[in-house]
Amino acid sequence: GRRPIRKKTPDPLVRRLSPKLVSAALLLGFMTAFVWGGVQTQRSAVREAALDAVPEDVEPANASAAEAEIRRGLDRLQRAIAVCSDDVDLHLAAARLWTARYRLALLATLDSPASQEVSPQSLWDRTAPEHLRAAAHRLAARGLTHELDTLRQQPPVREYLTPAFGHLLAARAACPLSAKVHLRIAELAFLVEDPRCDTVHIRRACRLAPAEPNLWLRVGLLDLQAGRIDAAWSQWRKGLMVGTEHLKTILALAESHAGPMEIAERLLPDSAPLLVRVGQGEYSGLVYLPVREVLGRRIESILPAAELDEAEKRYYSGIARAWQHDVAGSVANLNYAVALRP
């Protein structure tokens, strides 16, 4: 027959040590968690203190005081980054302060007796890196590579914008899914690559935050500054489909490159409520009668496929007919809309 299986008797030494080993392991675990928690608390305190030291706005009227405040902020940020090297907010804040230093350095070169007739705010606006970026795009479009390299080697650019761009790259490494970071990189990518390659960073930002109206406004501005007018209008059209909070700003920017008629035909998206809003608001004066006629035709063309109920369609059609000088059709549609929804 089979031999009975004997259970192995634990070694008495092991039985005596097992509770002690478990206790030691638990104690080690608690100590590790305690130390780790302390380190994280210290990191958080250093981070918050550094971000709190970042000035909200730069006051160009007192450049020396602003420069001193920025230096202090950068010192705090650098110490915090040494502890939290993968913190995207710290790198973004550092990039912003390096950019502010660039603007102050450039302002010092613009502040001359010949510039006394220009308002301080106008001078400060001229220091925005967007003007440098636009110049880089113009040079690239004309194939002037030597002049583009000269622009990149300007002392204020090398000393201040190059470190700013380095922090943006570090921010991207820390958080590659941040649309804000990709937008900031698009603003300064001309420092290290063909300015026209900024579309890569713009597309990444758009894919990451397609439901943000602010993003579409900014990418449209980037395209506009790069001379890509059609692309800018396309971005703003998408943004207006997401939300209309930037409508006035977008119309003002577009009107610097085209007239109301072209805007009515090409910029505004296929949205009956939006087209009516623009026709009753921004383009409501007598001088805009031809523009409203265009808007009316567009409304009529998109209503059949619009996701609106019958009362809404009749209401918008009544307005569109009025703008096309069809009084009888307008009255009939508006009366029908009231009958459907008293």
Side-chain angles (χ1 to χ4, degrees), residues 6-35:
R6 294 183 181 179
K7 293 183 179 179
K8 189 174 181 180
T9 304
D11 192 305
L13 180 61
V14 172
R15 283 186 298 179
R16 288 197 302 272
L17 290 178
S18 292
K20 294 181 180 179
L21 288 172
V22 171
S23 299
L26 288 173
L27 179 60
L28 180 61
F30 284 132
M31 289 179 65
T32 301
F34 179 78
V35 172

Side-chain angles (χ1 to χ4, degrees), residues 144-201:
L144 301 175
T145 55
H146 175 73
E147 289 77 0
L148 179 58
D149 287 337
T150 301
L151 179 145
R152 290 167 173 156
Q153 295 304 315
Q154 293 176 6
V157 175
R158 281 200 332 271
E159 293 173 27
Y160 305 120
L161 287 187
T162 299
F165 188 69
H167 281 290
L168 294 178
L169 295 180
R172 184 180 65 183
C175 186
L177 299 181
S178 170
K180 182 195 304 185
V181 170
H182 289 290
L183 278 182
R184 293 295 312 279
I185 288 176
E187 292 171 356
L188 295 182
F190 70 89
L191 294 173
V192 297
E193 63 187 22
D194 187 324
R196 292 162 290 193
C197 292
D198 62 352
T199 54
V200 173
H201 312 292

Side-chain angles (χ1 to χ4, degrees), residues 43 46 50 74-87 90-91 167:
R43 280 165 54 97
V46 171
L74 277 172
D75 287 342
R76 297 289 290 271
L77 286 171
Q78 290 302 129
R79 289 198 294 270
I81 289 171
V83 179
C84 314
S85 60
D86 59 349
D87 190 284
L90 291 175
H91 285 295
H167 281 290

Side-chain angles (χ1 to χ4, degrees), residues 34-45:
F34 179 78
V35 172
W36 183 85
V39 170
Q40 291 301 111
T41 301
Q42 183 183 15
R43 280 165 54 97
S44 179

Side-chain angles (χ1 to χ4, degrees), residues 94-236:
R96 185 162 68 84
L97 291 189
W98 278 111
T99 303
R101 289 194 69 185
Y102 160 78
R103 296 187 67 179
L104 288 172
L106 189 58
L107 182 65
T109 66
L110 298 176
D111 193 9
S112 64
S115 65
Q116 296 304 310
E117 298 178 1
V118 182
S119 71
Q121 186 59 49
S122 295
L123 283 176
W124 179 244
D125 291 342
R126 291 182 190 177
T127 66
E130 65 194 43
H131 298 293
L132 189 70
R133 178 175 175 271
H137 273 275
R138 289 193 297 270
L139 293 173
R142 296 166 60 190
L144 301 175
T145 55
H146 175 73
E147 289 77 0
L148 179 58
D149 287 337
T150 301
L151 179 145
R152 290 167 173 156
Q153 295 304 315
Q154 293 176 6
V157 175
R158 281 200 332 271
E159 293 173 27
Y160 305 120
L161 287 187
T162 299
F165 188 69
H167 281 290
L168 294 178
L169 295 180
R172 184 180 65 183
C175 186
L177 299 181
S178 170
K180 182 195 304 185
V181 170
H182 289 290
L183 278 182
R184 293 295 312 279
I185 288 176
E187 292 171 356
L188 295 182
F190 70 89
L191 294 173
V192 297
E193 63 187 22
D194 187 324
R196 292 162 290 193
C197 292
D198 62 352
T199 54
V200 173
H201 312 292
I202 290 173
R203 284 197 298 269
R204 288 172 181 166
C206 293
R207 286 198 299 268
L208 289 168
E212 292 292 334
N214 288 339
L215 175 136
W216 295 108
L217 174 65
R218 288 187 61 191
V219 297
L221 273 171
L222 290 176
D223 280 327
L224 187 69
Q225 294 157 6
R228 300 186 291 257
I229 309 300
D230 289 341
W233 282 38
S234 175
Q235 310 285 26
W236 290 333

